[in-house]
Amino acid sequence: MSAARTRATIERFNSVQVYVHALLAISIFLLWLTGLPLTFNEPLGWLIEVFGYANVIDVHIAAGVALIATMLYYGAYLALGLATGASTWKHFMFGIDDIYEVVAQLKWLAGLGPEPESGKYTFLQKAEIWIIAFEVGVMIVTGLLLWMLGMLQSTSPNLPMLIMRDVHAIVAVTMLMGVSFHLFMTHVKEFPMDRSMFHGRVDVGRACSEWEQWARDSIGSSTLPCDERTHSTILTSGMVFTMLLFFVIWTGVILQYVFSPLPTGPSLTRSIAPNTLPGGTLGLVYFVGLNLAALVCLASVLAIGYGLYVRFAERTAG
């Protein structure tokens, strides 16, 4: 690749990584899209009415299987990297360099030094990776136990199962807030969406702005054709709005489960979940917020599917 070429790009992810990442994202958004109406039946009952309760359950289980498959891939990828000594896995492992980067970042924010150079992932992105991995692990373990115990149990669930179900729901919605932050900080660099997650390449300008050390190592040159590329005010405002939106959803889960009378929330043996959210103006806020969250999840699934379609079409045409 010529470093002098206008809008030169660097490969950030290979084809396998692109498809596995897309499968992971689609499975997670489908889990939310089907899990939200099961948790909040009254404000999101239209999803069950449109698609049918059995179909919602089937999609939820299928998305869970896809999520497990992707995590097994990442686990094998990490294990293989450790076994062979490959450098790829080290990109998202914490090290002494991350401590230096944190200190340099704080100095830069305080106006006491230059903005630090970063490797392939910043310390914040590494933290995101491991936090999401932990949350997915909790969701998988609690989801599998609830599914297996629910299949074996014909009577009302006991308190440990209810607590497990509460943890599953709370962690899932907490993860929804984290992934929303991840989308804005990583993927929403251009309106409506940065396409690097589909073709696996990033502009050198963005690379040297966000991961300068990785860009230098990839190009093999100390001189980078950088341009200034930053978040727009609209995208920054959108991130704030989205985080507020999903904070509403998170508090709704707390009200629905943790602060509701025992047995907390809906029974595992019932197909229709009773609503324990407040009424009045506050109830309207939750109704609007929950439906917006469902629409965001649906739009995300469609956007990822379209992005993969465009990638496939371009590869076929080329």
Side-chain angles (χ1 to χ4, degrees):
M1 178 191 306
S2 172
R5 189 178 67 183
T6 303
R7 295 185 67 84
T9 61
I10 308 175
E11 182 179 83
R12 189 163 173 83
F13 306 109
N14 60 37
S15 295
V16 174
Q17 292 170 326
V18 168
Y19 287 121
V20 173
H21 177 269
L23 179 60
L24 173 66
I26 288 176
S27 63
I28 289 176
F29 280 115
L30 283 177
L31 283 168
W32 285 324
L33 186 60
T34 53
L36 285 173
L38 295 174
T39 303
F40 302 101
N41 178 259
E42 185 171 308
L44 294 173
W46 62 270
L47 282 168
I48 293 180
E49 292 296 328
V50 170
F51 297 104
Y53 177 77
N55 292 327
V56 170
I57 292 292
D58 288 342
V59 172
H60 197 76
I61 293 174
V65 172
L67 179 64
I68 293 172
T70 58
M71 296 309 292
L72 289 175
Y73 166 81
Y74 284 121
Y77 179 83
L78 176 61
L80 186 62
L82 288 170
T84 61
S87 61
T88 51
W89 70 273
K90 297 179 182 178
H91 288 307
F92 53 87
M93 298 297 290
F94 285 105
I96 190 66
D97 290 341
D98 296 293
I99 298 177
Y100 293 141
E101 185 181 343
V102 171
V103 174
Q105 187 78 14
L106 292 175
K107 288 183 177 179
W108 174 69
L109 291 174
L112 301 177
E115 185 176 6
E117 297 181 2
S118 175
K120 188 171 185 179
Y121 299 106
T122 67
F123 69 92
L124 280 176
Q125 289 173 327
K126 291 179 181 180
E128 284 182 75
I129 290 172
W130 289 108
I131 290 172
I132 290 175
F134 172 78
E135 291 170 334
V136 168
V138 173
M139 287 173 57
I140 288 175
V141 171
T142 55
L144 284 174
L145 289 174
L146 287 170
W147 176 66
M148 290 186 293
L149 294 176
M151 293 288 289
L152 297 174
Q153 187 167 322
S154 58
T155 59
S156 297
N158 53 36
L159 185 58
M161 286 186 65
L162 290 169
I163 294 175
M164 190 186 310
R165 192 265 329 274
D166 293 359
V167 170
H168 185 78
I170 292 170
V171 171
V173 176
T174 302
M175 184 179 171
L176 180 59
M177 295 175 64
V179 169
S180 301
F181 177 81
H182 170 75
L183 284 173
F184 275 96
M185 294 302 294
T186 305
H187 297 302
V188 185
K189 296 292 183 180
E190 301 170 354
F191 186 81
M193 178 176 284
D194 171 38
R195 291 182 56 201
S196 63
M197 67 179 294
F198 302 119
H199 50 61
R201 307 189 70 86
V202 294
D203 292 339
V204 172
R206 177 185 172 187
C208 67
S209 173
E210 299 185 40
W211 316 286
E212 186 168 351
Q213 186 58 55
W214 170 72
R216 294 185 191 280
D217 294 341
S218 298
I219 293 179
S221 172
S222 60
T223 304
L224 296 174
C226 298
D227 57 355
E228 293 296 326
R229 308 190 66 187
T230 59
H231 282 295
S232 70
T233 304
I234 294 177
L235 295 181
T236 303
S237 303
M239 181 179 72
V240 174
F241 172 78
T242 304
M243 296 305 294
L244 288 174
L245 167 65
F246 288 125
F247 179 75
V248 170
I249 311 307
W250 189 84
T251 59
V253 169
I254 301 299
L255 291 173
Q256 181 83 339
Y257 287 120
V258 178
F259 293 149
S260 63
L262 290 175
T264 53
S267 169
L268 293 174
T269 58
R270 295 176 59 179
S271 60
I272 301 299
N275 180 56
T276 58
L277 294 177
T281 303
L282 186 57
L284 179 62
V285 171
Y286 282 111
F287 177 85
V288 173
L290 286 164
N291 278 275
L292 283 176
L295 292 176
V296 167
C297 292
L298 179 60
S300 298
V301 172
L302 295 176
I304 295 170
Y306 177 74
L308 292 176
Y309 166 77
V310 171
R311 172 189 170 89
F312 181 77
E314 291 177 346
R315 291 299 179 93
T316 303

